[in-house]
Amino acid sequence: EEVELGNFCAAYRTRILELVGEGLPSPRLPGALVAARKEAEVKSSEAVERVHLGKAWQTRLKGCLDSRAQDLLRANDERLMEMWQDEARRVAEGRGCFFLDRLIAMRDAKLRDYGRSLSPEHKARSVKFATALQRARLVECLRLKHLVWPIFPWLGWPVMSLYIDSGVVSGLSHMAVHITVVFGAYLMLGAFHQLPPYLDLEFRVLQARPQLLDATMQLLPWMPWEKLMAALGIAGACRSCLKLLRAVAEKWRPAGDQIGGIVNLELKLNMLLKRNQTLLQQTLLEGLQEAHVQANHGDDSATALALLKVLAVFRGVGGDDPQFSAMADVALRLRISRLLEGYQVGSPAVDVCKSWKRRDALGSALRGEWHVATKQ
């Protein structure tokens, strides 16, 4: 029984490796385990009938086969982790400073390719390994320039706006000269090691402040920081460029092409015309009301004087005024002018109140029929 048990277990392991056809790790290992197990079960049934083996032997055989399968799976996972660690080391030796998210993504992708899922122990080991690589890389890699460069594009427009007030071309030229001078002075100070640490772009932040390392690793360590900082810098550059293009378009726009200003001016003129029309109508209505009151009192002279005050509004008005033209046409304005010129102060007024009562000038004005009211 012991010999048969050992032969079956050894043959089962050998058959699995044959079905895999290559060294571990292999994506075909789960399928090979299933196929080899079926073959082993068939052969074990034949051996039980041939040698008259009992159920105890079958139970021991099952445990042996399970043990061999688990050993191969553990070996496969170990080889898989070794492959991932080698690739992770190569990534850590690259140029990037933040790669923890990439390492975890590489691990998950490799597990999917091989049809495996990590045990809690292996998962904890992988996270610990990746975090150690990230910490070691950050201490050596993270410098002041990595923190400052994404902010520089956002400062582009505020600086340019100070220069282009007097002119776009001249302002940008002066800015280029000043930047060249400042950059040259910066390089000279850097060459002689005279830069303070907070101005040295190559300053290793985490080496000088080790307490920041733990805070950096705890602040969303899985975030793709490189992509986020690149996106932040690109967004700032796009904003500065758009602001500059808009300023250039405003500076080079012809003086007569101020569409927005013309529209605002037209709106204001329309508002003033509307107010003038309202004041004119109010003046005419007040005069007609006064004439109506005096006519009710039977005072012909006062009624005539109130009506002449209303008509005096139209004296000297040209035909190009649309408001007065709507109330009195050219012929009516000529009649008004002759009437005013022929009037003498103190001359008697006869039957003015009777004539007023036969007409409805005030009612026409109240209905908005100003032309009719003026003609009456």
Side-chain angles (χ1 to χ4, degrees), residues 155-181 240-241 243-249 251-252:
L155 302 177
W157 169 245
V159 174
M160 287 187 290
S161 62
L162 299 176
Y163 283 91
I164 64 177
D165 285 340
S166 59
V168 177
V169 178
S170 60
L172 293 179
S173 300
H174 292 161
M175 185 182 70
V177 172
H178 293 167
I179 290 176
T180 302
V181 172
S240 298
C241 291
K243 291 284 188 179
L244 177 61
L245 292 177
R246 184 178 298 176
V248 170
K251 293 286 185 180
W252 288 354

Side-chain angles (χ1 to χ4, degrees), residues 148-160 228-240:
V148 173
W149 284 126
I151 303 175
F152 274 172
W154 291 92
L155 302 177
W157 169 245
V159 174
M160 287 187 290
L228 289 178
M229 289 191 292
L232 181 63
I234 293 174
C238 292
R239 176 184 179 275
S240 298

Side-chain angles (χ1 to χ4, degrees), residues 261-279:
I262 293 176
V263 172
N264 291 332
L265 179 60
E266 183 177 359
L267 292 175
K268 292 180 180 179
L269 289 176
N270 291 334
M271 182 174 62
L272 291 176
L273 290 175
K274 190 67 176 178
R275 289 180 180 177
N276 290 335
Q277 183 179 6
T278 303
L279 292 175

Side-chain angles (χ1 to χ4, degrees), residues 16 27 49 97 135 185 187 192 213 240 250 252 272 296 301 311 316 326 331 340 342 344 363 372:
I16 292 174
E49 295 178 358
C97 292
R135 291 174 66 93
L187 291 180
F192 290 102
L213 181 59
S240 298
E250 290 291 337
W252 288 354
L272 291 176
N296 288 335
S301 298
L311 296 178
L340 293 174
Q344 295 181 359
V372 176

Side-chain angles (χ1 to χ4, degrees), residues 70 109-110 135 137 140 162-163 176 180 298 332 356 369:
Q70 291 299 322
K110 190 171 290 295
R135 291 174 66 93
R137 180 61 177 166
E140 294 293 329
L162 299 176
Y163 283 91
T180 302
L332 184 57
W356 172 263
E369 299 173 354

Side-chain angles (χ1 to χ4, degrees), residues 41-293:
E41 289 176 353
V42 173
K43 293 180 179 180
S44 64
S45 299
E46 295 175 355
V48 168
E49 295 178 358
R50 186 179 65 252
V51 188
H52 303 289
L53 299 173
K55 291 184 178 181
W57 184 86
Q58 294 180 11
T59 303
R60 293 172 58 196
L61 177 63
K62 182 180 179 180
C64 180
L65 297 180
D66 292 340
S67 176
R68 294 293 187 273
Q70 291 299 322
D71 291 342
L72 288 175
L73 288 175
R74 280 194 295 269
N76 187 74
D77 291 344
E78 290 292 339
R79 299 286 180 84
L80 198 59
M81 290 298 298
E82 291 176 2
M83 289 178 57
W84 170 74
Q85 289 176 0
D86 292 339
E87 295 178 3
R89 292 189 183 94
R90 287 194 291 270
V91 172
E93 294 172 358
R95 300 181 59 183
C97 292
F98 298 94
F99 49 80
L100 186 58
D101 59 314
R102 281 189 289 160
L103 297 186
I104 301 302
M106 287 169 48
R107 182 200 68 184
D108 296 340
K110 190 171 290 295
L111 291 174
R112 285 193 301 268
D113 294 340
Y114 284 85
R116 294 293 299 153
S117 60
L118 288 180
S119 63
E121 179 185 357
H122 283 87
K123 186 174 294 186
R125 284 174 51 195
S126 65
V127 171
K128 185 177 180 180
F129 177 81
T131 304
L133 287 179
Q134 180 67 90
R135 291 174 66 93
R137 180 61 177 166
L138 276 179
V139 172
E140 294 293 329
C141 177
L142 187 63
R143 306 187 183 189
L144 186 61
K145 62 181 179 182
H146 296 111
L147 304 177
V148 173
W149 284 126
I151 303 175
F152 274 172
W154 291 92
L155 302 177
W157 169 245
V159 174
M160 287 187 290
S161 62
L162 299 176
Y163 283 91
I164 64 177
D165 285 340
S166 59
V168 177
V169 178
S170 60
L172 293 179
S173 300
H174 292 161
M175 185 182 70
V177 172
H178 293 167
I179 290 176
T180 302
V181 172
V182 172
F183 186 69
Y186 180 84
L187 291 180
M188 291 183 62
L189 290 174
F192 290 102
H193 303 286
Q194 298 299 316
L195 286 174
Y198 56 85
L199 290 181
D200 187 3
L201 295 179
E202 299 297 328
F203 177 65
R204 291 181 173 88
V205 180
L206 296 181
Q207 280 190 356
R209 298 289 185 272
Q211 63 272 18
L212 296 178
L213 181 59
D214 293 332
T216 303
M217 294 302 300
Q218 292 177 3
L219 183 62
L220 299 177
W222 311 107
M223 293 293 290
W225 289 111
E226 285 187 346
K227 295 179 180 179
L228 289 178
M229 289 191 292
L232 181 63
I234 293 174
C238 292
R239 176 184 179 275
S240 298
C241 291
L242 289 177
K243 291 284 188 179
L244 177 61
L245 292 177
R246 184 178 298 176
V248 170
E250 290 291 337
K251 293 286 185 180
W252 288 354
R253 180 180 294 175
D257 194 30
Q258 301 291 340
I259 299 176
I262 293 176
V263 172
N264 291 332
L265 179 60
E266 183 177 359
L267 292 175
K268 292 180 180 179
L269 289 176
N270 291 334
M271 182 174 62
L272 291 176
L273 290 175
K274 190 67 176 178
R275 289 180 180 177
N276 290 335
Q277 183 179 6
T278 303
L279 292 175
L280 175 61
Q281 293 173 356
Q282 183 179 0
T283 302
L284 296 177
L285 187 59
E286 289 176 354
L288 292 175
Q289 286 176 343
E290 183 181 355
H292 180 72
V293 172

